[in-house]
Amino acid sequence: MKNINFIDLADQYQAYKTDVDQAIADVLNSGQFILGNEVKTFEQELSSFVGVAHTIGCANGTDALQLALMAIDIQPGDEVITSVFSFFAAAEVIALLGAIPVFVDVDEKTYNIDADKIAEKITSKTKAIVPVSLYGQTADMDKINAIAAQSGQQIYIIEDAAQSLGATYHGKQSGNLSTLATTSFFPSKPLGCYGDGGAVFSQDEALATKIRSLHRHGETKRYEHQYVGINSRLDAIQAAILRIKLQHFPEEIQQRQIAADRYQQLLQSDNMVLPYIAENCTSVYAQYSIRVPDRERVITELKQHDIPTAVHYPKPIHLQPCFAHLGYKPGDFPIAETTAEEIMSLPMSAFITAEQQQYIAEHLLKVVS
Ligand SMILES: *Cc1c(COP(=O)(O)O)cnc(C)c1O
């Protein structure tokens, strides 16, 4: 059996190597490295995959979130509601813009923002909600959209789809479930490039036009700056690589789901909690995350058998030192806090083999029993 990697990026490259190498060479020969045709074509292809009118490529998924918040004119002192248990980026860009991240606990089964706990956090200062679609499954977007609509004020929803691109919610694609959505092409994401990359999605033409300007210094035409923007562009080389990966993406999603089903069958045990996928939803399993008691021991013992694991994420965001001034304390978000103590992710990719999964399951079951 070959070595188990947490994510098999090298195997993926080998599978598409001829096409990827050619695409990179074509960009090098074209002399067009920033924006240009590759980026434009990729944006169009991704728009049709997601089902949105507009995709704007940018430098990474964090910038994509920042651009989305800038597009809706988030100002210092505004409040933006987001999940307390997630990757740091959403809370980070909210704070960077001088706005206040307002945290909500997560659902104990999906680990996504608990939609039932959002309404109580809405104030007259609330301008947006950023639900993060964690581990490859979307948040409960219909419910979240309805809460915003019922609030009687203008509240934008921005789905952070960095981990869920390719997942579906009631038949619709992640990224097409709210006014704005963002994603990341960081190499380990379900649709990754070979460096940094990201995108913003929208059906709204005015917002899309503004984001197209904001991501290039707020220019509306060359050297005419309508806004104070940022410099955040998708490289042509990354777009060319992404165009190839996008062709294989539906098949890779299927392979990831097959791998997840296999874990599901292999890992039946009273001593761990397996992923839960909500009704009418599919996951792309950006992570295959389970909960176990005594996690550190489990991780150590698996490592002794050359099984790599990861923890997404060991500390909920309200307890991060940089947000101490917000005044949250341990116990404020009990589900997030317990999850952070028990969660761990197993190796997952479209290229993991049944043999590798059997080996992982065998050792994992032994360790937790
Ligand atoms: C990876 C990730 C991001 C940030 O993407 P980058 O491209 O690394 O900036 C944002 N949100 C979530 C949920 C992520 O997983």
Side-chain angles (χ1 to χ4, degrees):
M1 187 185 72
K2 65 188 172 74
N3 280 348
I4 300 172
N5 295 312
F6 186 68
I7 297 172
D8 254 324
L9 291 174
D11 282 355
Q12 190 200 42
Y13 172 56
Q14 284 309 317
Y16 314 143
K17 180 175 170 29
T18 315
D19 289 346
V20 167
D21 290 355
Q22 185 61 51
I24 292 173
D26 288 347
V27 172
L28 296 181
N29 284 315
S30 79
Q32 172 84 59
F33 301 114
I34 303 287
L35 300 177
N37 259 338
E38 279 306 321
V39 173
K40 200 169 155 196
T41 311
F42 169 64
E43 287 175 342
Q44 287 163 353
E45 289 167 354
L46 190 57
S47 286
S48 63
F49 176 85
V50 175
V52 290
H54 307 280
T55 297
I56 303 103
C58 63
N60 56 68
T62 308
D63 280 3
L65 284 162
Q66 183 175 339
L67 285 162
L69 290 169
M70 288 171 79
I72 58 169
D73 209 22
I74 291 296
Q75 295 293 320
D78 287 347
E79 293 178 3
V80 180
I81 293 173
T82 191
S83 172
V84 76
F85 180 73
S86 171
F87 183 63
F88 185 60
E92 178 178 40
V93 293
I94 293 164
L96 259 182
L97 294 175
I100 301 158
V102 174
F103 298 120
V104 171
D105 209 349
V106 290
D107 177 84
E108 65 186 328
K109 279 156 65 185
T110 64
Y111 315 118
N112 278 322
I113 192 166
D114 186 341
D116 293 330
K117 293 180 180 155
I118 291 176
E120 65 201 58
K121 297 292 178 83
I122 293 176
T123 73
S124 59
K125 290 184 182 165
T126 306
K127 293 289 154 55
I129 303 170
V130 184
V132 181
S133 292
L134 206 65
Y135 300 152
Q137 172 174 215
T138 69
D140 195 351
M141 296 301 292
D142 281 352
K143 217 175 196 177
I144 296 167
N145 284 319
I147 290 163
Q150 286 155 13
S151 71
Q153 60 197 80
Q154 169 85 286
I155 297 177
Y156 288 96
I157 311 293
I158 303 168
E159 185 201 5
D160 180 351
Q163 299 186 11
S164 61
L165 191 67
T168 60
Y169 174 90
H170 301 254
K172 276 173 87 175
Q173 290 284 327
S174 176
N176 184 19
L177 305 169
S178 48
T179 306
L180 287 158
T182 63
T183 200
S184 164
F185 307 120
F186 185 79
S188 63
K189 308 287 175 177
L191 182 64
C193 60
Y194 293 145
D196 276 310
V200 186
F201 303 112
S202 189
Q203 299 284 22
D204 185 302
E205 169 127 35
L207 286 174
T209 305
K210 188 169 176 188
I211 291 164
R212 244 180 229 299
S213 164
L214 286 170
H215 88 128
R216 39 195 300 177
H217 303 289
E219 283 180 342
T220 38
K221 54 185 187 207
R222 197 77 179 120
Y223 303 127
E224 179 84 13
H225 301 272
Q226 177 82 24
Y227 314 101
V228 174
I230 59 174
N231 176 20
S232 182
R233 300 172 298 219
L234 183 64
D235 288 347
I237 285 184
Q238 301 304 341
I241 292 162
L242 284 163
R243 289 187 62 201
I244 300 196
K245 292 223 197 169
L246 184 58
Q247 288 169 22
H248 298 280
F249 192 41
E251 192 191 321
E252 284 203 10
I253 292 170
Q254 219 176 3
Q255 290 305 319
R256 299 176 85 99
Q257 287 166 346
I258 290 169
D261 289 346
R262 195 179 289 128
Y263 271 141
Q264 179 83 23
Q265 282 166 12
L266 289 168
L267 291 176
Q268 289 305 320
S269 158
D270 292 338
N271 300 321
M272 51 183 142
V273 181
L274 301 181
Y276 167 84
I277 308 303
E279 219 176 300
N280 292 320
C281 292
T282 63
S283 176
V284 290
Y285 296 98
Q287 308 299 344
Y288 189 91
S289 299
I290 63 171
R291 277 194 294 146
V292 291
D294 205 1
R295 176 182 66 199
E296 303 317 313
R297 184 181 60 86
V298 174
I299 289 174
T300 307
E301 291 196 22
L302 290 179
K303 198 170 169 191
Q304 284 162 1
H305 292 98
D306 297 316
I307 299 169
T309 56
V311 175
H312 306 97
Y313 298 91
K315 189 184 265 200
I317 300 172
H318 69 296
L319 301 178
Q320 294 294 344
C322 64
F323 287 139
H325 64 281
L326 295 176
Y328 291 104
K329 56 185 188 314
D332 284 346
F333 300 102
I335 314 278
E337 291 168 31
T338 312
T339 306
E341 278 168 22
E342 297 181 349
I343 202 88
M344 58 179 284
S345 305
L346 300 180
M348 166 55 85
S349 83
F351 294 86
I352 195 167
T353 66
E355 189 190 16
Q356 290 175 322
Q357 288 188 279
Q358 273 149 12
Y359 176 85
I360 293 164
E362 191 185 308
H363 288 287
L364 183 54
L365 287 172
K366 234 183 270 170
V367 179
V368 299
S369 68

